[in-house]
């Protein structure tokens, strides 16, 4: 898998292809210095291949947290915490 910006773009594109009605909403966001932290919720419908799993038509609803480091107006580092086990459970796996 590609690294850096290219890898991140590919990851997001794959997620959007699997959940084309994806809706991401930040409920809280805090910035300090070059860091931005946020809590988000996301919803979508599994309509394309995801992690080797063919479309199930299942709806998903998850929450997660992001921490970003910004330099020169660009995101240069990104960490996220999302319950991938819960995501797979909602898709009928596990």
């Amino acid at each position: 898998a590609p690294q850096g910006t290219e890898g991140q773009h590919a990851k997001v594109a794959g997620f959007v292809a699997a959940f084309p009605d994806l809706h991401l909403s930040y409920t809280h966001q805090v910035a300090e210095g070059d860091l931005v932290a946020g809590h988000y919720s996301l919803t979508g419908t599994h309509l394309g291949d995801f992690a080797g799993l063919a479309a199930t038509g299942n709806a998903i609803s998850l929450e997660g947290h992001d921490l970003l480091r910004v330099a020169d107006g660009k995101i240069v580092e990104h960490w996220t915490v999302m319950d991938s086990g819960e995501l797979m459970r909602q898709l009928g796996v596990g």
Side-chain angles (χ1 to χ4, degrees), residues 10-94:
K11 202 181 295 184
V12 170
F15 205 82
V16 171
F19 303 91
D21 63 344
L22 185 69
H23 179 75
L24 176 75
S25 176
Y26 277 85
T27 54
H28 299 91
Q29 227 170 20
V30 177
E32 182 177 319
D34 63 350
L35 298 175
V36 179
H39 175 90
Y40 62 85
S41 60
L42 65 84
T43 59
T45 310
H46 183 213
L47 300 175
D49 291 348
F50 176 73
L53 181 62
T56 62
N58 291 5
I60 62 163
S61 179
L62 298 165
E63 294 186 3
H65 301 277
D66 278 331
L67 180 62
L68 311 169
R69 190 169 70 78
V70 179
D72 298 322
K74 295 183 180 183
I75 298 169
V76 294
E77 290 183 276
H78 174 225
W79 302 270
T80 191
V81 176
M82 184 177 71
D83 188 346
S84 57
E86 176 61 17
L87 170 60
M88 297 311 282
R89 188 193 68 71
Q90 291 181 26
L91 296 178
V93 178

